[in-house]
Amino acid sequence: MPNSAQTRRDPQKGKNGFSNNKGFTLIELMIAIAVLAIVTSLALPSYRTIIEKRQVTSGAEQFRAFMSSAQFESVRRNQPVAVNFEWNSGDWCLGMRTHEELASVTCDCTITQLANASACVMDGELRVINAENLNYPDVLQSASTLGGGDDNLVYDPIRGLIVGNETASMQFLSDDSSYALNLVVAPTGQMNICSNDSASAHTVPGFEPC
């Protein structure tokens, strides 16, 4: 009669006598790495495209929100509100200020002293945005213009129109110049984000061409 100790199955092996230990062979590991590299190389361009599109849409939407708030404050307070845009060698700012008299509604967004009569101040606070406030600081381009030579737009509190029929146009460009959007402000105060379809930039899906 055989000794049971001699015929007892190794507890480290399965019912067929093979080991249950799990693991990868070197070849399997190399194949997995190669597949991962291929998938990553295919996904990176698509991911980069998403980022580039997000840069321009985010910048345009943040600017539109600021301009919309100035128009809203003008109507809500029943006072004219000025929006000032300044650009100096790539440094820029956008500010707003209200005043009871239309002729006195101007401000300079570069001034940071609250006590300065020319600062863009409302309710005792600076109402200014600059590159530090944007999700993508470098997306705004130097081609931007606002309100002609004085760089100011003034909203009429009665109907929310822009005094003097002035307009604004700002361009937002992604890092590699693949995508561009324009924010266009009409004399009526209406704001439109449109896709800049110039030769150096692709149209952004979801936005009408300018």
Side-chain angles (χ1 to χ4, degrees):
M1 181 175 180
N3 190 333
S4 60
Q6 295 177 344
T7 60
R8 186 179 299 132
R9 184 177 292 114
D10 188 341
Q12 297 298 320
K13 298 181 179 180
K15 65 179 181 179
N16 294 323
F18 296 103
S19 173
N20 286 325
N21 291 336
K22 304 296 183 181
F24 291 102
T25 65
L26 180 59
I27 294 178
E28 290 172 333
L29 185 60
M30 292 177 64
I31 292 175
I33 293 175
V35 171
L36 180 61
I38 293 173
V39 172
T40 302
S41 65
L42 294 175
L44 279 178
S46 177
Y47 177 74
R48 185 60 190 171
T49 297
I50 293 174
I51 294 298
E52 294 285 335
K53 292 177 182 177
R54 184 56 189 163
Q55 286 177 344
V56 293
T57 56
S58 176
E61 288 167 356
Q62 285 184 276
F63 261 68
R64 180 168 63 178
F66 188 88
M67 301 289 288
S68 294
S69 66
Q71 186 180 36
F72 172 78
E73 290 293 339
S74 176
V75 176
R76 184 179 74 86
R77 297 165 183 259
N78 194 29
Q79 293 179 332
V81 171
V83 176
N84 171 249
F85 174 77
E86 297 291 340
W87 181 283
N88 182 20
S89 300
D91 293 328
W92 61 268
C93 60
L94 189 68
M96 71 173 77
R97 176 174 179 257
T98 185
H99 198 280
E100 294 180 359
E101 298 180 8
L102 182 61
S104 301
V105 190
T106 58
C107 70
D108 185 344
C109 61
T110 63
I111 298 175
T112 58
Q113 293 79 26
L114 289 172
N116 193 305
S118 297
C120 296
V121 176
M122 292 177 64
D123 299 328
E125 295 182 0
L126 287 173
R127 296 294 296 271
V128 175
I129 64 171
N130 51 38
E132 296 178 358
N133 303 116
L134 288 189
N135 294 332
Y136 303 96
D138 300 326
V139 71
L140 182 64
Q141 294 302 292
S142 59
S144 304
T145 58
L146 188 147
D150 61 358
D151 294 325
N152 280 278
L153 290 180
V154 179
Y155 285 102
D156 179 352
I158 305 301
R159 293 173 294 174
L161 305 179
I162 297 176
V163 177
N165 290 324
E166 292 185 325
T167 62
S169 177
M170 303 177 184
Q171 186 184 70
F172 303 87
L173 196 65
S174 62
D175 284 344
D176 66 355
S177 302
S178 293
Y179 296 94
L181 285 177
N182 284 2
L183 172 62
V184 180
V185 185
T188 59
Q190 181 179 359
M191 283 166 283
N192 179 44
I193 298 177
C194 55
S195 183
N196 188 319
D197 57 355
S198 63
S200 61
H202 303 300
T203 57
V204 182
F207 296 93
E208 295 290 334
C210 294

